[in-house]
Amino acid sequence: MSVGVLGTGHYVPPKVVTNKDLEQIVDTSDEWIRSRTGIEERRIADDDTDTSDMSFFAAQNALDEANVKPEDIDLILVATVTPDTPFPSVSCMLQDRLGARKAAAMDISAACSGFMYGMVTAKQFIDTGVYKNVLVIGVEKLSKITDWSDRNTCVLFGDGAGAAVLGEVAEGKGILSFELGADGSGGKELYQDENDHLQMNGREVFKFAVRQMPESSVNVIEKIGYNEADVDYLIPHQANIRIMEAARERLGISKDKMADSVKRYGNNSSASIPIALSEAVKDGNIKDNDLIVLVGFGGGLTWGAIALKWGK
Ligand code: UT7
């Protein structure tokens, strides 16, 4: 059984907040943000749009592309650290709104690696023959846990949602290998504090990320007997262009073979990889039989990578 992506979708809120806008709020500059992170602007959801709303829009887009009806979804997995409420879960809200009557539903908490954890979990259920169609979402409304007076963090993040429908694909295509990892001793480097604000030790997370992203990317391709030159497209977690470049350079692939939406959306945590994947499909940057590496890292600390042969 080969498990792959039947369709992808994404949603970003229409409101654009530029670096210049942030200069009005905190002591920062467009120059600092661009040169340290690669971010030029980000999308921020309005008060009436919560995490479940964005996940619904992305899900509709992915189901359309996959040509799968809501009533044919067996399981909904929503990766998020910014749910509407701790419970009911976003996945249950989504199940109701989509009319996915027979779907089981649960949220996954693995911060920015959440979509990697979701895809790998989906694969297990499909591999065993228990489920046929699994909807995986990465969605965040990070603006609601952002401390808008903290220049160390408020310039980095944005809101959005990405989705993929996973199911059986042709032999040799789909998820060829994966790696998931966690190091709970690093939990203090990136967490939500007692005021519900995101706190981060940027330098420590940076050091972890520039080591982990290249290493995991190489691990998943070596596991299947491929080498760096075989990679057609790299979709790293869109946290910081300098971290993404470390992974790209380790694989030795050219800039046009790496997704780069961080400049337009900032860091969308669990949503960044599925948004970038959905855009790459819609922009024609991914072709049938391309070998794609998806790789992420985040709070927990957690990380995950997937080698994926594109196509159904
Ligand atoms: O999804 C996973 C989540 N996180 C990440 O991926 C973040 C990983 N870390 C990073 O991307 C980088 O560490 C940052 C972008 C957060 C920071 O870049 P850096 O090159 O590591 O800068 P730094 O922390 O070494 O700070 C340099 C200086 C500091 O001033 P001092 O202490 O040297 O005087 C900061 O106070 O830049 C200052 N600074 C700012 N200045 C202007 C921090 N934020 C800002 C800002 N505008 N927004």
Side-chain angles (χ1 to χ4, degrees), residues 130-143:
V130 176
Y131 292 142
K132 194 161 172 281
N133 297 310
V134 181
L135 173 63
V136 185
I137 312 261
V139 55
E140 304 292 354
K141 189 177 180 184
L142 290 164
S143 58

Side-chain angles (χ1 to χ4, degrees), residues 141-159:
K141 189 177 180 184
L142 290 164
S143 58
K144 67 183 175 184
I145 63 163
T146 298
D147 178 352
W148 290 101
S149 65
D150 176 11
R151 69 173 182 174
N152 290 294
T153 54
C154 76
V155 302
L156 303 174
F157 301 101
D159 300 334

Side-chain angles (χ1 to χ4, degrees), residues 26-29 32-33 36-37 112 151-153 155-157 190 200-203 205-206 209 237 239-240 242-243 267 269 297-299:
V26 285
D27 179 15
T28 189
S29 67
W32 191 96
I33 302 170
R36 300 295 181 114
T37 71
C112 307
R151 69 173 182 174
N152 290 294
T153 54
V155 302
L156 303 174
F157 301 101
L190 182 48
M200 179 173 69
N201 182 348
R203 252 173 247 188
V205 177
F206 189 92
H237 169 42
N240 180 324
R242 291 152 59 207
I243 300 171
N267 179 346
S269 188
F297 68 93

Side-chain angles (χ1 to χ4, degrees), residues 23-300:
E23 288 177 2
Q24 313 303 314
I25 307 176
V26 285
D27 179 15
T28 189
S29 67
D30 176 46
E31 204 285 316
W32 191 96
I33 302 170
R34 272 176 206 254
S35 61
R36 300 295 181 114
T37 71
I39 300 167
E40 296 174 7
E41 57 188 46
R42 70 285 294 140
R43 302 299 182 93
I44 301 296
D46 62 27
D47 290 345
D48 298 334
T49 307
D50 211 337
T51 303
S52 61
D53 301 303
M54 293 189 284
S55 67
F56 176 65
F57 303 138
Q60 282 185 313
N61 187 201
L63 289 168
D64 281 351
E65 196 179 290
N67 203 13
V68 168
K69 294 193 206 65
E71 53 270 32
D72 293 328
I73 305 169
D74 300 297
L75 174 66
I76 300 174
L77 299 171
V78 175
T80 187
V81 292
T82 51
D84 301 35
T85 55
F87 65 95
S89 60
V90 175
S91 50
C92 280
M93 294 177 184
L94 185 58
Q95 189 245 18
D96 178 47
R97 196 149 161 199
L98 285 171
R101 285 183 301 277
K102 75 169 179 187
M106 67 174 168
D107 287 4
I108 291 178
S109 175
C112 307
S113 316
F115 188 75
M116 298 290 87
Y117 273 74
M119 280 193 61
V120 171
T121 305
K123 173 177 159 54
Q124 311 313 312
F125 280 105
I126 301 166
D127 267 341
T128 52
V130 176
Y131 292 142
K132 194 161 172 281
N133 297 310
V134 181
L135 173 63
V136 185
I137 312 261
V139 55
E140 304 292 354
K141 189 177 180 184
L142 290 164
S143 58
K144 67 183 175 184
I145 63 163
T146 298
D147 178 352
W148 290 101
S149 65
D150 176 11
R151 69 173 182 174
N152 290 294
T153 54
C154 76
V155 302
L156 303 174
F157 301 101
D159 300 334
V165 181
L166 269 68
E168 186 175 3
V169 294
E171 183 81 36
K173 293 189 176 181
I175 298 174
L176 303 182
S177 64
F178 68 86
E179 169 178 296
L180 296 178
D183 174 8
S185 71
K188 60 187 180 304
E189 312 301 355
L190 182 48
Y191 62 97
Q192 192 172 341
D193 70 15
E194 60 284 359
N195 297 316
D196 286 344
H197 284 145
L198 184 153
Q199 297 290 349
M200 179 173 69
N201 182 348
R203 252 173 247 188
E204 284 308 311
V205 177
F206 189 92
K207 280 194 274 179
F208 156 69
V210 291
R211 180 174 47 79
Q212 196 59 53
M213 288 244 286
E215 192 178 305
S216 296
S217 304
V218 171
N219 286 347
V220 289
I221 52 177
E222 285 185 346
K223 270 186 191 177
I224 47 173
Y226 284 82
N227 61 51
E228 289 88 329
D230 297 316
V231 175
D232 296 299
Y233 205 70
L234 172 67
I235 304 187
H237 169 42
Q238 306 284 305
N240 180 324
I241 190 68
R242 291 152 59 207
I243 300 171
M244 293 154 56
E245 283 290 317
R248 186 184 68 78
E249 282 167 13
R250 175 66 185 80
L251 292 175
I253 59 174
S254 57
K255 280 186 195 267
D256 60 310
K257 290 186 169 182
M258 179 175 79
D260 175 12
S261 51
V262 71
K263 66 162 93 73
R264 287 174 288 126
Y265 301 145
N267 179 346
N268 301 126
S269 188
S270 70
S272 91
I273 293 174
I275 291 173
L277 175 65
S278 175
E279 285 196 334
V281 172
K282 288 163 180 68
D283 294 346
N285 293 332
I286 296 176
K287 302 181 304 296
D288 207 35
N289 282 318
D290 274 356
L291 180 65
I292 304 165
V293 171
L294 311 171
V295 60
F297 68 93

